Amino acid sequence: MALPRRLATIVLAIIAAGCFALAVQGGYWWRIGEIGVGPVSTQRCFDGRCEAGTLAWAGGSEVWERAGIATWAAGMVSALVLVALAGALAARRGGKLAASVVMIATATAVVAGGVFVTQRPGVPGLEVARGTWFYGIATLAAITAAISTLRAPQPQA
């Protein structure tokens, strides 16, 4: 792989890994006033004090709560394999296996995240927050990095 392409792919993989981690660890997917709703927990901040809570109060189905946990896990695994892809490319390895694993992990993350979004409860005042955007950016960057790696010309032996 040519140096400019390698560097661009490494940067994309690191951006995707960071966005996946931010989306599932610190990025709330929806806001309801002062309450942030993420894949595995909620956070309420009143008068400068913040308290974490579960998703149960939102009245979502058990499928929705499990999809939230699956989304969290898929996002973290995707972040891990994207770092592995960036490491393989930085070490001047082909990275084809890592790129294939990134594709599988990203597809899993898309399915889990899709179920989490489509099964959300109809709570009034729900607004999209940054976690959803981070997850989308991560998905696009991960797929782009994986395709760039998989389509790179093989060095002649």
Side-chain angles (χ1 to χ4, degrees):
M1 185 183 293
L3 183 62
R5 183 176 185 161
R6 180 182 307 276
L7 291 176
T9 305
I10 290 169
V11 168
L12 272 174
I14 295 299
I15 288 170
C19 285
F20 268 126
L22 283 172
V24 298
Q25 284 291 93
Y28 292 107
W29 289 43
W30 299 286
R31 283 224 170 270
I32 308 166
E34 298 294 320
I35 301 170
V37 180
V40 292
S41 66
T42 61
Q43 185 174 19
R44 296 179 296 257
C45 294
F46 297 107
D47 297 329
R49 290 183 26 204
C50 295
E51 297 176 5
T54 66
L55 297 176
W57 68 269
S61 67
E62 198 171 301
V63 170
W64 179 65
E65 289 186 40
R66 289 181 187 204
I69 293 168
T71 300
W72 177 84
M76 294 306 291
V77 168
S78 294
L80 176 68
V81 297
L82 282 157
V83 170
L85 174 62
L89 294 174
R92 296 186 181 181
R93 304 284 183 223
K96 303 279 185 186
L97 177 61
S100 297
V101 175
V102 165
M103 291 296 279
I104 293 166
T106 303
T108 304
V110 167
V111 170
V115 172
F116 183 60
V117 168
T118 59
Q119 296 295 314
R120 74 182 177 279
V123 178
L126 207 62
E127 298 174 358
V128 175
R130 67 181 183 207
T132 309
W133 297 112
F134 280 139
Y135 210 74
I137 292 167
T139 299
L140 292 175
I143 290 169
T144 305
I147 289 172
S148 173
T149 303
L150 291 171
R151 291 202 172 177
Q154 290 292 319
Q156 298 300 322

